[in-house]
Each structure stands twice: as structure tokens, then as C-alpha cells.
Amino acid sequence: MAFVILDPCRQEQSAECLTVCPVDCIEKGPEQYYIDPDVCIDCGACKSVCPVDAIVEEYDLTPDQETYLEQAEAFFAK
């Protein structure tokens, strides 16, 4: 499982998540930050520091939030 960054990041982009990720799997995209689902070790460090609660575990995504995981996968497929 991996963590996924949702829409609130688009407005905030404070980047605390970058500094705490032990495997450096978070990168800035054109509109928000993304977590590489293939590298994420599911430690939760990013979730605990996000000031806008934009980070959720993949298995907690609602059907309308699945697109954020798809966007992250597409971002890292490049």
C-alpha cells in the first residue's frame, strides 16, 4: 500500500512531506506533490506532517478520489 496526496495540496503545497520522507518518494508535479506508489514504504511520516490533511492511505480512497492515485502513477511512469 502507498499513501496518496489529494486536492488540498494544490492550494497549500507547503512541502513538509518532502523533508520527512525516508525514501524520497515525493516529488513536485505541475499542480501538486505526488507520492510514487512503487517506492512508498507506507510509513506515514508524510501524513503526520501535512498541514491540510491532504495525504491518505491508498486503501482509504473513496471512488471519486481514485483519480489521484492514477495521476501519481502517470506522473511517475514518465
Side-chain angles (χ1 to χ4, degrees), residues 3-21 26 32-35 44-57:
F3 281 88
V4 180
I5 300 176
L6 305 178
D7 190 58
C9 180
R10 292 177 192 239
Q11 288 78 32
E12 180 64 30
Q13 296 189 25
S14 60
E16 282 94 335
C17 57
L18 288 177
T19 61
V20 299
C21 181
I26 304 171
Q32 70 178 61
Y33 287 90
Y34 295 101
I35 297 173
C46 57
K47 181 177 174 58
S48 66
V49 298
C50 182
V52 292
D53 295 322
I55 302 174
V56 299
E57 291 184 81

